[in-house]
Amino acid sequence: MELKRVVVTGMGAITPIGKTVDEYWNNLVQGVSGAAPITRFDATPFKTQFACEVKDYKATDYFDRKEARKMDMFAQFAVIAAEQAFQDSGIDLQTIDQDMAGVIWGAGIGGIITFLDETRGFVKNNEVPRFNPFFIPKMISDIAAGHISIKYGFRGPNYGTVSACASASHAIGSAFDLIRLGKAEMFITGGSEAAINEAGVGGFNAMQAISTRNDDPATASRPFDKGRDGFVMGEGAGALVIEEYEHAVKRGAKIYCELVGSGMTADAHHITAPHPEGKGAQRVMENALKDGNINREEVDYINVHGTSTPLGDIAEPLAIQRLFGDHAYKLNISSTKSMTGHLLGATGAIEAIASILAMKNSIVPPTINQFELDPEIDPKLNLTPNKAQERKIKVAMSNTFGFGGHNACVVFKALD
């Protein structure tokens, strides 16, 4: 069976450094940090008092009050990004087969804001069960995919992926495979997250996973730097419209690039720590390149997971060096989490967009906050420190790795 080709025809994003794709991209290239003191709650008692929030977000700027009350913030972000991608793609619902259009959406945590609010209400009411009837539909992680499907009448495959920080990349890879197999013609896919609340911050603090650099939030996310002390929490969403190549050509769609490969592996090592030698990361990149029939020497740019954690930022460069050999020194590598923070289940989607736009604009966004390279990382690797670099990119990869040892990689190629 000959697999069908898949292309990207629409993109949408709401992020800590921009509420549209253009604003997001411009701030990436300029090296703007989205980290600032938390405004959503009083973070004074917490070890970490800052995060990468979506700035000045008001649900009523996008939804009427009745609609907004039925949706957790992670689902609101999903619908906002999906609408941008839908509009960008130029889809005419009157001319497509909606039975062959689907939604696959990632979220690592889902409706944690709703869960905390409802639990507080239960305790406040002396544990008398007076739960909101929308409690469960607002909280469950798959509901974002449901909202998007209902909004556009997409009746094809529809579900959520949950694999911590790899969730959105798994969603993209799954949608890609279903189109290649002829089980759908197009998808809205991506991921969203909104976990900046007391439970989210407190939970990650308890794990000692997030930075506590409260005196200087803007420089707290510093992947590969000797002084890194954990990731910075982010929130938002990214959405892609992907579709079968001939379907896109027939309807005259604008095509950004081709999605050519995906990989999925497990570390099978530890619930939170990566394999110290990056074995799962190496295999997932290798599998994605094999899937896309791409030679290692063809890769120009890798948007790495690069979370600013002590262990992860050592393992991933090792994996790249083992896989690419001498070509590793010819690659551009960057972690855009240095600017956006870590969007958890949404990160794979916004970083896929960054990879696509790097290819489209021939500019590699930087890894900011590079002060002193960790001595365990090879200084010959081009981590695109502090400033964007111009480069013609024909093949770009995006890596995402999640707690539980979940690894995902997607590969994009300039359209021939």
Side-chain angles (χ1 to χ4, degrees), residues 161-310:
T161 56
V162 181
S163 48
C165 308
S167 298
S169 294
H170 275 138
I172 294 167
S174 297
F176 168 60
D177 284 339
L178 289 174
I179 294 174
R180 289 199 294 177
L181 292 170
K183 295 186 177 183
E185 293 174 337
M186 66 164 51
F187 278 96
I188 296 177
T189 185
S192 59
E193 206 78 90
I196 301 174
N197 68 351
E198 294 91 332
V201 173
F204 281 116
N205 268 157
M207 293 177 62
Q208 299 182 357
I210 55 177
S211 173
T212 57
R213 192 169 273 109
N214 295 311
D215 59 334
D216 193 8
T219 70
S221 183
R222 46 178 75 182
F224 313 117
D225 190 79
K226 183 180 178 181
R228 68 191 183 278
D229 70 330
F231 72 83
V232 177
M233 285 186 68
E235 63 180 7
L240 301 177
V241 173
I242 65 173
E243 58 186 293
E244 193 271 322
Y245 172 70
E246 296 294 343
H247 184 273
V249 170
K250 184 178 179 180
R251 71 178 187 88
K254 167 182 81 260
I255 296 175
Y256 284 101
C257 64
E258 187 169 2
L259 173 53
V260 293
S262 74
M264 305 177 190
T265 67
D267 281 350
H269 171 69
H270 189 270
I271 58 171
T272 57
H275 191 284
E277 297 176 11
K279 289 185 177 180
Q282 179 180 340
R283 286 192 304 110
V284 81
M285 290 186 285
E286 187 173 17
N287 290 352
L289 292 176
K290 183 179 179 180
D291 188 47
N293 196 28
I294 299 292
N295 295 322
R296 298 169 195 181
E297 293 74 21
E298 293 180 79
V299 178
D300 300 298
Y301 171 52
I302 305 177
N303 187 298
V304 292
H305 190 55
T307 54
S308 186
T309 52

Side-chain angles (χ1 to χ4, degrees), residues 213 219-231 301-321 332-338 351 365-379 381-386 399 401:
R213 192 169 273 109
T219 70
S221 183
R222 46 178 75 182
F224 313 117
D225 190 79
K226 183 180 178 181
R228 68 191 183 278
D229 70 330
F231 72 83
Y301 171 52
I302 305 177
N303 187 298
V304 292
H305 190 55
T307 54
S308 186
T309 52
L311 298 179
D313 287 9
I314 298 296
E316 191 173 9
L318 283 175
I320 291 170
Q321 288 177 279
N332 267 92
I333 298 165
S334 74
S335 171
T336 48
K337 289 184 182 71
S338 58
E351 289 168 10
T367 306
I368 67 167
N369 300 327
Q370 289 282 286
F371 303 107
E372 183 179 359
L373 183 67
D374 188 311
E376 293 190 51
I377 298 173
D378 193 332
L381 292 171
N382 182 1
L383 301 175
T384 321
N386 298 317
N399 289 340
F401 313 137

